[in-house]
Amino acid sequence: MTTSQNQPTLGSYRPLDDNLDPLVEGVDGGRAPWTAIADALHSLGLDELHRRGEEAVRLLSADGVNYRVIGPPISGQVGSEPGDSRHQPDGHRLDPVPAVLASAEWSSLERGIIQRAELLDLIAIDLYGPRNLIARGLLPPEVVFGHPGFVRACDGQALPGGRQLFNYAADLVHGPDGSWQVLADQTQSPSGAGYALENRVVTSRVFPSLYREAQVHRLAPFFRSLRSALQAMAPPNTNGDPRIVVLTAGPWSETAFEQAFLASYLGYSLVEPGDLFVRDGRLWLRAVAGPEPVDVVVRGVDASMCDPLELRPDSRLGIPGLLEVVRRGAVAVLNGLGSGVLENPALAVFLPDLAQELLGQSLRLASVQTWWCGQAQQRSHVLANLASLVLKQVIPGPSPQSCFGWELSAGQREELSRRIQSDPAGWVGQLAVQPATTPTLAPGGLEPRAAIVRAFAVTRGDSYAVMPGALTRVGPDSASLRISQHSGAITKDTWVLASEPEATSGFWLQRTTAGVHNSFGDGSGPGTGDGSVVQAVSARAAENLFWVGRYAERADAAVRLLRVVHDRRNDLAGGSNAAGTACLHVLLTALRTVTGGHPGAAMAAPDNRLGSLDPADLDPDDLGAELVGLAVDSERPGTVAYAVAHLLAAAEAVRDQLSVDTFLVIGNLHRHLAEHGGGSPEGRDLHAQVQHALSQVLSGLLAFAGLAAESMVRDAGWQFMEAGRRVERGLHLAMLLRATVAQDHGTATDSLLFESVLTASESIITYRRRYRSRARLDTLLDLLLVDDTNPRSLLYQIERLREAIDLVPRPSAGLPARLGADARLILELSTRLRLADTRLLAGRQGDAELRTLLERVELSLRAIADAIDESHFTHLPPLQALGGA
């Protein structure tokens, strides 16, 4: 794609040669704002630029950044574990070379965005109030009432503070005449601000020196304005700090990462529709300690899906009764449930006149020239120029892409003409604007790509604050004009260069404590005694954290046992060793027990062949293929990759509860295994690679455990994660002991088994240091069964589990304090272990008693897990429509 002589660019640009010699011309004929940056890129060289690009990809992957289309959870599975879903993630792609704008140009653009937001806000106030614009003929009724974004049930509703458009985003293009034009208004639930912030974090790390020297406007003040605006939108009767939540459709929604990222960054709870309910005219959060009132909801769910009682009855993402709570003014939902009507592309035709009517001003930031087919003259123009226009439906369909008339055949244009004439009010035509280009890193160097810039604004006082930056998107190739996430667009950080060093303002730290609540607390629930507010943990978040602990420990246990089996298999290579063969057979049986015996996993999966594997009869390559599969097959329950995938899914569902460092640690776990998932199991090299990948996964899991132990606050969420870890570690150890040492295999075989079990339990060094004589079963049981000072023993797991459950808040509701079912089971199991006589269990007649004890331990731990689930987590039946959709 070439740039014409009269077409400006974001820093007018022609392709750079292999030496990166820049030719940079300003839009006005002077030097472009990114000249100094181009010089810096030139000094780095192409190879270094590609290395920086790879570093950006690594950082995004480590942070778990994605924009994806994910299907709903697997239906029809009762009691399915968190994370069970079918999804097709689309990577969030970032070009490391920023798009750059001068401060003066941005200031002009900023004024236009503010004016446009104010205009749209006034239109919303009128449409859900007196509707004078329709009565006076300034807006045709079809433009309003024919659009699905107009929510009739919201008539007469008003948000606190007078503003009806809380936040706003505009998709902008730099047109051929050098002016900025609005391609589309985003008012329903504007997305992208979180991705813009993540892009800034990554780009500033990739080009640290360049970022510091370029004097780029910071984004943090905008997000401080966003926090202040959210608090100001709370209903008047709110006591103390308002409880603010970010509502997401779930981890399978397209912008799930952004919603979780913003919730974490702003310090608010990330909730799903099932976490909220209506009672006594208020909206409540299903918290672990009991219901907590909610004052403000930042929604990431389409308005039509938010209340199945008054909006779409077939919605599975709604909160029954929410609209009535909004109507009473007891909760603020942002953006307002009727704000989607402002996204109607036909509205662009009438905005210039409405700006004069409502603001007494000319429109500073015009829309791309648009013709609405609901008016005869404009319809005639559209029909006569189908081959050169972009056609859009007023009622958006499932596909987000526009229809480019020049791409249609004659027959297709004729069919489109008939559709427009049959429903003229449902169509608009837009002038095809060739967007300005911006330098983008490609395999062969920098090349120009057409760019669309999404700018963001949020209400502040009697006006709006605009983010001094944006989310820039460019086409996937130099010839593409389809620029959207669905079409593979690449994003860029947008640098607005300050004309002078930026002054630090809007401090987060406040010296005074009078009347000030904890800025990261977002609730009106129990306090800390100093006026601060404690953030509640939802029952759904608690359940996911419980499974984060379980899957982390499940992956850890499987890795350790697989490494031991690999080592024993290598010991047998090239020789005949009866005791070693018998030991390997027992370990394979244990591996089957441990990987196939977890609750929720397939107990006897058709492809789990370890039960029929006898090392004496089996081809070594077949055994090797099976061991590789148990490491890297993410579709098979019980494997390391399966546990890691579900660990990441559960962690993503509670991203707001975990630190950024957590995802830096666990983000690469799946990649280490996926790199070997499609390889052939033949050859020693692959086995060595898989063992190396297992070592990397184990290192990541150890780092995650250390981070959780040393960096996480011991709140209810941490206690549930700790409980999940202790349940799983206890289960694994009980199953391992039952499958290996609970029966006599002969002295030589048991000697190898004891060593393998102690190694898999990370207790071999302690055992050798403590018991200098030969290995004995009673001393092994002392260390692994009843030693409450050994972090790997069964009793230690039970005691830590008891402590975690004791510290978990329980709804009191005026009931007398008593032990819950989970606490009673834990006390019972702890007593049984403390009363166990390891010498008796290790005696000649003790095999049966040891097996019985370990079986009871397994049953008790599963019962404890079930009791925790029943006592603290909420499993709601799916919503059922009372009438036809």
Side-chain angles (χ1 to χ4, degrees):
M1 173 180 171
T2 59
T3 304
S4 63
Q5 294 294 326
N6 62 351
Q7 182 185 339
T9 68
L10 304 184
S12 198
Y13 167 84
R14 70 174 173 87
L16 306 184
D17 60 19
D18 292 340
N19 296 319
L20 294 178
D21 292 330
L23 177 63
V24 185
E25 301 173 354
V27 172
D28 57 358
R31 291 176 62 80
W34 71 283
T35 303
I37 295 174
D39 291 341
L41 298 179
H42 169 78
S43 66
L44 288 174
L46 184 58
D47 290 342
E48 179 61 17
L49 281 179
H50 281 302
R51 193 194 68 77
R52 302 287 179 102
E54 292 170 358
E55 176 68 6
V57 171
R58 188 192 66 78
L59 290 171
L60 289 173
S61 176
D63 285 350
V65 184
N66 51 58
Y67 178 97
R68 56 174 148 195
V69 180
I70 305 183
I74 301 171
S75 60
Q77 292 187 1
V78 178
S80 61
E81 298 176 0
D84 285 343
S85 62
R86 294 292 180 265
H87 57 276
Q88 183 71 33
D90 297 326
H92 173 78
R93 301 170 64 190
L94 171 64
D95 177 52
V97 178
V100 184
L101 291 168
S103 182
E105 183 175 13
W106 182 260
S107 295
S108 175
L109 192 58
E110 183 179 49
R111 290 191 293 271
I113 294 169
I114 291 173
Q115 184 205 47
R116 197 174 180 97
E118 291 174 343
L119 174 60
L120 292 173
D121 176 65
L122 291 174
I123 293 173
I125 292 172
D126 179 77
L127 294 183
Y128 289 99
R131 284 189 282 278
N132 290 327
L133 297 177
I134 296 176
R136 297 171 55 192
L138 296 172
L139 263 182
E142 302 95 321
V143 172
V144 178
F145 304 131
H147 191 267
F150 182 77
V151 181
R152 289 168 172 76
C154 292
D155 185 46
Q157 295 182 23
L159 292 172
R163 289 283 178 200
Q164 297 309 294
L165 184 62
F166 174 76
N167 63 332
Y168 165 71
D171 287 337
L172 307 167
V173 293
H174 215 182
D177 60 353
S179 66
W180 286 94
Q181 300 176 45
V182 176
L183 191 63
D185 297 297
Q186 305 294 332
T187 60
Q188 167 81 253
S189 181
S191 64
Y195 290 107
L197 180 58
E198 175 66 20
N199 285 354
R200 172 61 54 84
V201 171
V202 172
T203 305
S204 63
R205 291 176 181 173
V206 171
F207 295 115
S209 300
L210 180 59
Y211 175 75
R212 287 194 303 269
E213 296 168 1
Q215 298 188 90
V216 182
H217 279 287
R218 297 168 60 245
L219 303 185
F222 172 80
F223 289 96
R224 283 199 290 269
S225 296
L226 176 59
R227 272 189 66 93
S228 298
L230 287 170
Q231 292 175 338
M233 296 301 291
N237 60 349
T238 301
N239 296 320
D241 277 357
R243 180 174 298 284
I244 302 171
V245 300
V246 178
L247 177 64
T248 176
W252 56 89
S253 67
E254 290 182 343
T255 55
F257 165 79
E258 179 182 41
Q259 292 151 7
F261 180 72
L262 285 178
S264 177
Y265 185 83
L266 298 173
Y268 300 141
S269 295
L270 181 71
V271 301
E272 296 181 16
D275 296 332
L276 304 174
F277 68 98
V278 170
R279 189 177 68 192
D280 300 329
R282 288 215 63 176
L283 184 66
W284 301 83
L285 170 67
R286 302 181 198 274
V288 172
E292 295 280 352
V294 175
D295 302 300
V296 179
V297 177
V298 182
R299 67 178 176 90
V301 177
D302 285 349
S304 62
M305 308 295 287
C306 282
D307 187 347
L309 292 184
E310 296 197 52
L311 301 174
R312 282 186 54 173
D314 62 334
S315 171
R316 298 297 185 266
L317 299 176
I319 303 146
L322 175 64
L323 206 55
E324 177 60 24
V325 181
V326 173
R327 193 175 290 122
R328 294 186 180 192
V331 69
V333 178
L334 309 171
N335 263 343
L337 293 175
S339 59
V341 68
L342 302 174
E343 293 186 351
N344 187 343
L347 191 62
V349 176
F350 307 95
L351 287 183
D353 291 341
L354 293 176
Q356 290 289 349
E357 178 67 25
L358 296 175
L359 298 175
Q361 302 171 358
S362 298
L363 199 59
R364 290 177 179 269
L365 195 57
S367 303
V368 171
Q369 190 168 0
T370 305
W371 297 269
W372 177 49
C373 296
Q375 295 179 332
Q377 184 176 358
Q378 296 194 25
R379 180 170 64 253
S380 298
H381 176 83
V382 170
L383 293 175
N385 295 275
L386 281 180
S388 61
L389 297 178
V390 179
L391 288 307
K392 294 182 178 180
Q393 285 185 282
V394 168
I395 299 178
S399 172
Q401 297 179 352
S402 302
C403 174
F404 294 168
W406 58 90
E407 295 181 348
L408 304 179
S409 65
Q412 289 172 325
R413 284 196 291 272
E414 185 177 345
E415 172 61 23
L416 179 60
S417 176
R418 285 195 294 267
R419 292 177 61 189
I420 291 174
Q421 294 180 71
S422 66
D423 179 26
W427 290 86
V428 299
Q430 281 189 340
L431 184 68
V433 177
Q434 176 76 31
T437 62
T438 186
T440 302
L441 185 61
L446 294 178
E447 63 181 33
R449 300 278 181 90
I452 292 178
V453 176
R454 177 169 292 186
F456 305 92
V458 64
T459 180
R460 181 174 63 185
D462 59 354
S463 186
Y464 286 84
V466 177
M467 178 194 290
L471 180 71
T472 296
R473 292 169 292 170
V474 298
D477 55 63
S478 59
S480 177
L481 290 180
R482 296 188 183 276
I483 306 174
S484 71
Q485 296 295 93
H486 290 264
S487 62
I490 302 168
T491 66
K492 285 172 161 287
D493 187 14
T494 307
W495 290 6
V496 177
L497 304 185
S499 55
E500 57 186 29
E502 186 177 15
T504 304
S505 61
F507 296 107
W508 174 57
L509 176 66
Q510 298 184 39
R511 291 295 181 186
T512 178
T513 59
V516 177
H517 293 274
N518 182 350
S519 66
F520 283 103
D522 60 349
S524 54
T528 61
D530 61 354
S532 299
V533 177
V534 177
Q535 181 175 356
V537 176
S538 71
R540 177 196 55 82
E543 181 179 14
N544 276 286
L545 286 167
F546 180 70
W547 280 100
V548 165
R550 293 197 69 175
Y551 280 123
E553 195 59 36
R554 188 175 295 185
D556 180 279
V559 168
R560 292 180 185 279
L561 189 52
L562 267 173
R563 293 175 75 198
V564 168
V565 172
H566 270 290
D567 290 342
R568 286 299 177 209
R569 174 175 174 267
N570 292 338
D571 290 343
L572 295 176
S576 176
N577 185 323
T581 300
C583 173
L584 182 56
H585 185 274
V586 174
L587 290 175
L588 290 174
T589 302
L591 192 56
R592 181 194 62 181
T593 301
V594 169
T595 59
H598 290 297
M603 294 290 293
D607 58 352
N608 193 336
R609 303 180 298 131
L610 284 179
S612 63
L613 293 181
D614 187 336
D617 303 325
L618 188 67
D619 186 295
D621 287 337
D622 288 342
L623 176 57
E626 181 68 10
L627 295 179
V628 169
L630 286 171
V632 302
D633 188 350
S634 61
E635 298 296 323
R636 178 172 164 184
T639 66
V640 176
Y642 185 92
V644 165
H646 284 64
L647 163 63
L648 294 176
E652 283 189 4
V654 287
R655 182 179 281 270
D656 61 311
Q657 301 284 331
L658 302 173
S659 69
V660 174
D661 289 342
T662 299
F663 288 90
L664 289 176
V665 168
I666 67 176
N668 289 325
L669 296 179
H670 190 264
R671 181 176 59 81
H672 291 319
L673 296 168
E675 289 174 353
H676 309 289
S680 169
E682 299 178 1
R684 296 180 179 272
D685 288 344
L686 180 60
H687 296 307
Q689 292 171 19
V690 169
Q691 291 188 64
H692 177 66
L694 291 176
S695 296
Q696 290 178 306
V697 169
L698 183 59
S699 297
L701 292 169
L702 290 173
F704 172 58
L707 187 66
E710 297 297 329
S711 300
M712 289 185 67
V713 176
R714 267 46 172 181
D715 60 2
W718 187 90
Q719 302 298 345
F720 278 111
M721 189 168 68
E722 175 74 356
R725 184 181 292 277
R726 300 306 171 183
V727 165
E728 199 66 35
R729 185 177 293 183
L731 266 174
H732 164 261
L733 184 55
M735 289 188 290
L736 178 63
L737 292 175
R738 178 170 60 83
T740 54
V741 304
Q743 56 185 316
D744 185 8
H745 302 93
T747 302
T749 300
D750 280 341
S751 178
L752 294 173
L753 275 176
F754 287 7
E755 183 180 37
S756 298
V757 169
L758 288 166
T759 301
S761 303
E762 203 184 354
S763 298
I764 185 68
I765 301 299
T766 302
Y767 187 88
R768 286 171 176 167
R769 187 175 64 247
R770 182 179 296 182
Y771 306 105
R772 297 184 182 277
S773 61
R774 292 184 178 181
R776 290 170 20 195
L777 180 57
D778 60 335
T779 53
L780 181 144
L781 295 177
D782 281 340
L783 183 62
L784 295 183
L785 205 61
V786 297
D787 186 346
D788 60 2
T789 67
N790 178 16
R792 290 285 170 172
S793 77
L794 263 174
L795 184 57
Y796 187 92
Q797 312 314 313
I798 303 308
E799 291 306 308
R800 300 295 81 75
L801 177 59
R802 177 185 59 78
E803 293 173 1
I805 294 302
D806 285 348
L807 292 173
V808 166
R810 297 174 183 271
S812 57
L815 298 175
R818 61 183 65 178
L819 286 179
D822 47 3
R824 290 198 302 272
L825 289 168
I826 293 170
L827 178 60
E828 201 175 290
L829 180 54
S830 175
T831 303
R832 177 177 286 118
L833 286 174
R834 289 187 179 278
L835 293 176
D837 186 338
T838 56
R839 287 180 174 78
L840 178 62
L841 294 173
R844 290 184 177 277
Q845 307 301 321
D847 284 359
E849 292 189 27
L850 179 57
R851 283 197 299 274
T852 299
L853 173 64
L854 294 171
E855 288 170 356
R856 287 179 177 175
V857 168
E858 292 176 42
L859 291 173
S860 295
L861 285 169
R862 291 195 173 100
I864 290 168
D866 290 340
I868 292 173
D869 182 279
E870 185 175 349
S871 300
H872 302 284
F873 308 148
T874 303
H875 299 289
L876 301 174
L879 296 177
Q880 298 293 328
L882 297 179

